């Protein structure tokens, strides 16, 4: 690990000011991504700003919204009674991620900003445009099994790793950010950047910007939701494909629907195309299959991950069937 300066932030302003010294600064929350990548030499910040003592922890409900402090742990959010009752897809996305030990350390802000699990990104002997812009991408001609089929470019095919971000994308959550010169709010649907020709730019945050909280709108009463994650083993594994879905069905017709996908794309992938197919359609497998076709229509698979097209479709159909068929 390269030497770095350690700063313990005393308040939010101090954290942001200290981080604004340049792109070589990074925040430390639970450390479950940041420290791993520093040990491996993938990240080498000059200054590490410990934000764990800042008052950014807790969940508060008001006016149809939940405000989740950035330092709330994954386990705390999963245990929140409003989440359990009104947003099961958020709870499921959390409890199907990592392990209890990790979830007790890992924070919501850190989860949204975790890095890809692409092995070429994490292995310094491989070329990676995300880690070293312009270096090339060994994943393109490597093993693609875990890589993306949606939102890729000729410069990067790494998947986004967060399960929670998929559920929050389906819910139109809003990220609240403290900047050196004020505050701003960024919809999660516009927060992440597809790789294009700058895979190193992953999100809308500028240098020194700190996530302070995430605002999560509750779903209307009568809406059912769930998160289905398909992976190589039943726990402690990232998604090959996942779907966060929410549907409101009455008189056998889908009145409203939300669909977001994980494990398949370079960013948490909201599928408006699938939602458009579902809205007004008869609830049932035929409509769900049509929605799944629409969601995967733009897929660009490679030989090693072509199976993900069918897997993604089946994940969507099964998620919708499970959620729409569940008792109210
Ligand atoms: C073995 C293993 C298995 C895992 N499995 C899963 C899984 O199945 N699904 C899943 O979704 N995740 C999984 N994870 C990832 C885990 O959820 C993340 O590592 C964790 O959520 C990161 O949170 P943290 O608080 O530890 O962040 P840190 O490691 O402290 O930070 C992560 C990044 O976010 C930045 N950061 C942190 N907080 C803020 C903030 N408030 N504002 C601005 N920047 C900030 C840091 O500078 C750093 O760049 C796994 C991790 C491990 C190690």
């Amino acid at each position: 690990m390269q030497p770095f300066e350690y700063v313990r932030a005393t308040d939010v302003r101090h954290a942001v000011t200290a981080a604004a010294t340049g792109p070589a600064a990074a925040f430390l929350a639970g450390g479950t991504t940041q420290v791993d990548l520093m040990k491996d030499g993938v990240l080498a910040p000059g200054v590490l700003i410990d934000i764990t003592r800042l008052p950014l922890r807790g969940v508060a409900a008001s006016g149809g919204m939940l405000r989740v402090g950035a330092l709330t742990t994954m386990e705390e959010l999963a245990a929140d009674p409003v989440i359990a009752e009104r947003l099961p897809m958020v709870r499921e996305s959390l409890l199907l991620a990592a392990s209890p030990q990790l979830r007790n350390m890992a924070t919501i802000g850190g989860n949204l900003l975790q890095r890809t699990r692409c092995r070429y990104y994490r292995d310094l002997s491989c070329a990676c445009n995300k880690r070293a812009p312009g270096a090339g991408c060994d994943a393109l001609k490597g093993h693609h099994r875990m890589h993306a089929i949606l939102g890729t470019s000729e410069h990067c095919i790494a998947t986004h790793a967060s399960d929670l971000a998929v559920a929050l994308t389906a819910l139109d959550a809003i990220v609240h950010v403290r900047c050196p010169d004020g505050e701003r709010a960024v919809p999660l649907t516009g927060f992440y950047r597809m790789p294009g020709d700058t895979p190193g730019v992953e999100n809308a945050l500028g240098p020194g910007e700190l996530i302070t909280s995430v605002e999560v709108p509750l779903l209307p009463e009568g809406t059912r939701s769930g998160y289905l994650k398909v992976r190589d083993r039943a726990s402690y594994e990232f998604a090959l494909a996942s779907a966060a879905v929410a549907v409101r069905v009455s008189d056998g017709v889908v009145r409203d629907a939300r669909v977001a996908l994980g494990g398949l794309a370079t960013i948490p992938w909201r599928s408006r195309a699938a939602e458009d197919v579902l809205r007004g359609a008869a609830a049932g497998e035929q409509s769900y299959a049509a929605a799944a076709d629409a969601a995967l229509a733009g897929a660009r698979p490679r030989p090693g991950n072509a199976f993900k097209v069918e897997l993604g479709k089946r994940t969507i159909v099964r998620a919708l069937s499970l959620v729409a068929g569940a008792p109210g």
Side-chain angles (χ1 to χ4, degrees):
M1 194 189 291
Q2 286 196 17
F4 60 90
E5 184 189 348
Y6 171 86
V7 174
R8 179 176 289 163
T10 49
D11 57 34
V12 168
R13 180 196 289 267
H14 178 213
V16 172
T17 316
T21 51
F27 294 117
L28 176 70
T32 61
T33 286
Q34 185 67 29
V35 175
D36 272 9
L37 292 177
M38 286 172 66
K39 282 183 186 165
D40 290 345
V42 176
L43 297 178
V47 186
L48 191 62
I49 299 147
D50 182 344
I51 58 172
T52 53
R53 311 286 168 102
L54 302 184
L56 300 175
R57 195 163 177 171
V59 185
S62 79
M65 286 278 182
L66 275 189
R67 174 77 76 133
V68 183
L71 291 174
T72 308
T73 67
M74 292 170 72
E75 202 65 20
E76 285 167 346
L77 185 58
D80 182 82
V82 180
I83 287 283
E85 194 182 321
R86 299 287 302 277
L87 299 175
M89 74 172 158
V90 171
R91 180 178 159 80
E92 290 160 15
S93 75
L94 289 162
L95 295 181
L96 292 171
S99 66
Q101 291 91 333
L102 283 160
R103 295 195 299 266
N104 274 309
M105 286 298 292
T107 64
I108 298 312
N111 185 283
L112 297 182
L113 294 173
Q114 66 176 282
R115 302 304 203 280
T116 179
R117 309 305 286 196
C118 173
R119 65 174 67 169
Y120 301 93
Y121 169 75
R122 288 175 175 248
D123 183 342
L124 295 186
S125 68
C126 297
C128 172
N129 287 320
K130 195 182 270 301
R131 176 169 27 81
C137 171
D138 278 350
L140 291 172
K141 52 184 188 305
H143 295 282
H144 314 124
R145 189 164 182 279
M146 298 300 290
H147 285 84
I149 57 173
L150 292 164
T152 58
S153 77
E154 287 311 306
H155 304 282
C156 183
I157 57 171
T159 45
H160 194 274
S162 167
D163 291 295
L164 173 66
V166 177
L168 294 184
T169 294
L171 288 167
D172 291 317
I174 295 167
V175 179
H176 288 266
V177 178
R178 177 68 78 90
C179 328
D181 54 358
E183 293 175 14
R184 64 197 180 97
V186 187
L188 200 60
T189 47
F191 182 77
Y192 294 105
R193 300 275 185 262
M194 282 191 275
D197 55 9
T198 53
V201 182
E202 297 191 334
N203 55 55
L205 290 184
E209 293 192 337
L210 178 78
I211 296 180
T212 51
S213 66
V214 181
E215 217 177 344
V216 188
L218 299 179
L219 289 166
E221 295 281 356
T223 307
R224 296 164 173 170
S225 77
Y227 185 76
L228 180 67
K229 179 172 178 179
V230 178
R231 47 190 166 165
D232 279 335
R233 53 184 178 190
S235 76
Y236 206 44
E237 184 54 281
F238 290 87
L240 277 169
S242 71
V245 302
V247 284
R248 189 164 52 81
V249 177
S250 67
D251 301 326
V253 175
V254 179
R255 306 293 172 183
D256 202 6
R258 290 153 186 257
V259 177
L261 306 173
L264 299 168
T266 51
I267 60 172
W269 192 262
R270 180 82 179 261
S271 180
R272 307 273 182 196
E275 294 173 5
D276 289 344
V277 170
L278 289 167
R279 229 169 267 123
E285 214 164 300
Q286 209 174 335
S287 305
Y288 306 157
D293 284 344
L296 273 298
R300 292 185 58 202
R302 290 170 186 272
N305 62 14
F307 73 96
K308 280 193 172 187
V309 177
E310 185 59 27
L311 184 68
K313 289 181 185 178
R314 291 186 190 200
T315 304
I316 295 169
V317 172
R318 184 154 174 75
L320 287 166
S321 304
L322 286 169
V323 166

